[in-house]
Amino acid sequence: MGRMREFGTTIFSVMSRLAQEHDAVNLGQGFPDEDGPAPVLAEAVRAIETGRNQYPPLFGAPVLREAIAEHQRRFYGLSLDPDREVLVTAGATEALAVSLLALCEPGDEVVLIEPAYDAYAAAVAMAGAVRRTVSLSFPDLRLDVAALRAAVGPRTRAIVLNSPHNPTGTVFTRAELVQIGRIALAAGCWVICDEVYEHLTYDEPHLPLAALARTEPELAGLADRVLTISSAGKTFSVTGWKVGWVSGPQEGVAAVATVKQYLSFTGGAPFQPAVAVGLRQSDADYARLTDSLRHRRDLLAKGLRSVGLEVLGGAGTYFLLADATPLGGADAEAFCRALPARCGVAAIPVSAFCDDAAAVRPLVRFAYCKQVPVLTEALRRLAGLGG
């Protein structure tokens, strides 16, 4: 298939295989190594045992759609109709793919902010669209607003906005969000907001563009062109459940549902009521997750610096970037491919997230969504690189 020819085996698969071959501590792939909240897991078991095992409705189980709407109102003041403005998906990756398939015609353009999760480019290609990229500046990891404005043109159908941002850990500021919204309004395009790390910010609370679009007078009308994506995987440490959702204006959500019904249709029946329990957990439960990951971030950052690495990012998500040049990693891809055998640790080169690989050639992404003893062991192994 011509449009997918450039996409081969992902670097995540490559590095996970090398980690297994060398019994390495895997700080590459971003999945937690412990289970999520006990009440959430227990509800999934109960749902299976009480027969919640057949197809949910296309839009998702009502209990989950209602919980999603409640969550958006509780945290962001957003008012959503759970029956028309919320769609449950097979994870956030499907949510992004079906959104692009619904919105784009062949030849339309989609603007991505690099580094970008590798599924974004693949989803744009599957939609037959053309990707345009704008790079975050290094080392401050901020958005070049002028470059974004230049990348958006008459054929732009959507801007994909990921905040908190994977892989850099950047959390876009209110001023940056306003600028993105103004550019989208001027172009008449959609903004697809990937917010799967919404509860993993460490300095300031997450601010959705959809909420800002309802409070900033200069963004009047933008709310009708914003789709918001999130999922259970990162917030509740259940990445294998693949339960995500899209919310936004009825017209946009209906278009996305039209595509989704011919792909996965629906799924995750016993997991949907369990995720609803998670979304309704207390503020203290949400804070416990954030505080735990903040501690792990600080532990990893301190350890990486002690090895001699310059650490970047860390305002959100559960990833840190490091410049591997001091350890002979001017080419981070070669450095990462050798690392499992060299010291028994796996990480991901940031170049895997970019069209402009040269701009980030020495940067490595480390995941800290691991138990403290695992991070401690990884740092012990990395310490040998400086010897």
Side-chain angles (χ1 to χ4, degrees), residues 320-338:
L320 283 175
L321 301 192
D323 186 336
T325 304
L327 298 181
D331 182 343
E333 181 172 353
F335 176 82
C336 287
R337 286 178 181 270

Side-chain angles (χ1 to χ4, degrees), residues 257-265:
T258 299
V259 173
K260 177 180 162 50
Q261 70 181 329
Y262 296 112
L263 294 177
S264 62
F265 179 65

Side-chain angles (χ1 to χ4, degrees), residues 47-359:
I48 291 170
E49 293 177 341
T50 56
R52 300 288 291 273
N53 301 304
Q54 307 309 322
Y55 296 127
L58 166 63
F59 274 72
V63 66
L64 177 54
R65 287 185 278 111
E66 290 163 5
I68 293 166
E70 290 171 13
H71 172 277
Q72 296 301 90
R73 184 182 308 111
R74 170 185 170 188
F75 286 99
Y76 312 124
L78 289 166
S79 180
L80 296 172
D81 181 343
D83 294 326
R84 296 175 178 82
E85 296 178 326
V86 178
L87 172 69
V88 178
T89 61
T93 302
E94 186 198 45
L96 177 85
V98 293
S99 295
L100 289 171
L101 286 166
L103 297 178
C104 295
E105 298 293 338
D108 283 347
E109 295 179 356
V110 176
V111 177
L112 307 179
I113 299 172
E114 288 194 330
Y117 179 48
D118 64 345
Y120 291 179
V124 172
M126 284 189 284
V130 177
R131 72 177 180 269
R132 304 294 182 202
T133 59
V134 176
S135 296
L136 294 180
S137 59
F138 287 91
D140 63 339
L141 304 175
R142 299 320 318 174
L143 178 66
D144 184 334
V145 174
L148 177 64
R149 187 176 293 109
V152 173
R155 301 215 61 174
T156 301
R157 185 62 171 158
I159 300 169
V160 177
L161 171 63
N162 176 209
S163 182
H165 183 265
N166 174 20
T168 67
T170 292
V171 176
F172 288 95
T173 66
R174 184 185 192 92
E176 287 172 326
L177 294 174
V178 169
Q179 292 283 5
I180 293 167
R182 291 174 62 185
I183 291 168
L185 268 176
C189 69
W190 289 80
V191 185
I192 302 174
C193 300
D194 178 352
E195 302 182 359
V196 298
Y197 298 99
E198 61 185 308
H199 289 290
L200 303 182
T201 64
Y202 308 111
D203 303 315
E204 298 289 339
H206 172 62
L207 176 61
L209 181 61
L212 198 58
R214 287 164 171 78
T215 58
E216 287 289 326
E218 63 184 304
L219 299 184
L222 181 65
D224 293 334
R225 306 191 72 81
V226 175
L227 291 176
T228 301
I229 293 169
S230 194
S231 78
K234 307 303 188 295
T235 300
F236 306 122
S237 299
V238 289
T239 57
W241 286 11
K242 299 299 290 182
V243 176
W245 49 87
V246 182
S247 62
Q250 180 179 345
E251 175 193 12
V253 172
V256 176
T258 299
V259 173
K260 177 180 162 50
Q261 70 181 329
Y262 296 112
L263 294 177
S264 62
F265 179 65
T266 189
F271 301 133
Q272 292 196 24
V275 173
V277 168
L279 288 170
R280 289 172 169 143
Q281 69 182 349
S282 70
D283 289 354
D285 289 321
Y286 281 104
R288 194 173 298 114
L289 169 72
T290 305
D291 291 344
S292 172
L293 283 164
R294 181 187 289 108
H295 170 68
R296 301 179 211 194
R297 177 201 64 178
D298 294 346
L299 173 68
L300 181 61
K302 181 179 179 181
L304 292 175
R305 291 188 182 104
S306 72
V307 175
L309 299 176
E310 179 186 357
V311 177
L312 306 173
T317 75
Y318 43 50
F319 304 111
L320 283 175
L321 301 192
D323 186 336
T325 304
L327 298 181
D331 182 343
E333 181 172 353
F335 176 82
C336 287
R337 286 178 181 270
L339 200 60
R342 188 177 170 192
C343 75
V345 175
I348 299 292
V350 177
S351 57
F353 299 86
C354 295
D355 284 349
D356 184 10

Side-chain angles (χ1 to χ4, degrees), residues 17-50:
R17 176 179 54 79
L18 289 172
Q20 290 177 342
E21 288 178 2
H22 298 282
D23 195 24
V25 178
N26 191 349
L27 302 188
Q29 206 160 0
F31 59 85
D33 61 355
E34 54 190 340
D35 277 332
V40 176
L41 305 181
E43 182 63 19
V45 173
R46 192 192 70 81
I48 291 170
E49 293 177 341
T50 56

